[in-house]
Amino acid sequence: PFELPHASVHLSPGVRIFNSHPDAVLFGVAVGADFLGDRRGPGFALEGSVHAGNSSPDRSVIVQAVDLFAGVTMTSRRTPVTWAVGPSVGMLGMPGGASVVTVGLGLRVTSRNR
């Protein structure tokens, strides 16, 4: 992550798998920030991601997913790791103009520089 005075910003690659077919894999990127709490205590995390990929054997069929994650951060004092847990809301755009809203619980682990 990139360290700022009151936040840690990260850019990371991601993979989304929506069913058991190996062709239904979406690749993308996430950008987020951890806003540190007082004395390295609990803070706030905010992250957005965009993914795209195939969802069927037809290579012209593209699926897109956008997602927003917000959560509480906890920083480990013994290891250079920050944990974030919270709700995740997104939209999965499918061929033919169909879309599905996704809701879940997110868990993110980020290493930080010392």
Side-chain angles (χ1 to χ4, degrees), residues 22-108:
D23 291 340
V25 177
L26 307 181
F27 297 94
V29 64
V31 177
D34 293 337
F35 301 95
L36 306 175
D38 293 337
R39 297 187 192 110
R40 307 296 274 184
F44 179 72
L46 187 61
E47 180 177 289
S49 66
V50 177
H51 293 77
N54 294 28
S55 65
S56 75
D58 181 2
R59 295 293 178 198
S60 66
V61 176
I62 302 294
V63 173
Q64 309 87 30
V66 294
D67 187 70
L68 181 62
F69 167 79
V72 175
T73 62
M74 296 298 290
T75 302
S76 173
R77 296 184 192 274
R78 296 181 186 200
T79 61
V81 172
T82 299
W83 299 79
V85 178
S88 175
V89 176
M91 181 158 299
L92 176 63
M94 297 183 293
S99 61
V100 175
V101 173
T102 60
V103 178
L105 180 66
L107 170 65
R108 182 179 41 76

Side-chain angles (χ1 to χ4, degrees), residues 1-2 9-16 27-33 47-51 108-111:
F2 307 102
V9 178
H10 64 274
L11 177 69
S12 58
V15 175
R16 296 282 171 110
F27 297 94
V29 64
V31 177
E47 180 177 289
S49 66
V50 177
H51 293 77
R108 182 179 41 76
V109 179
T110 307
S111 66

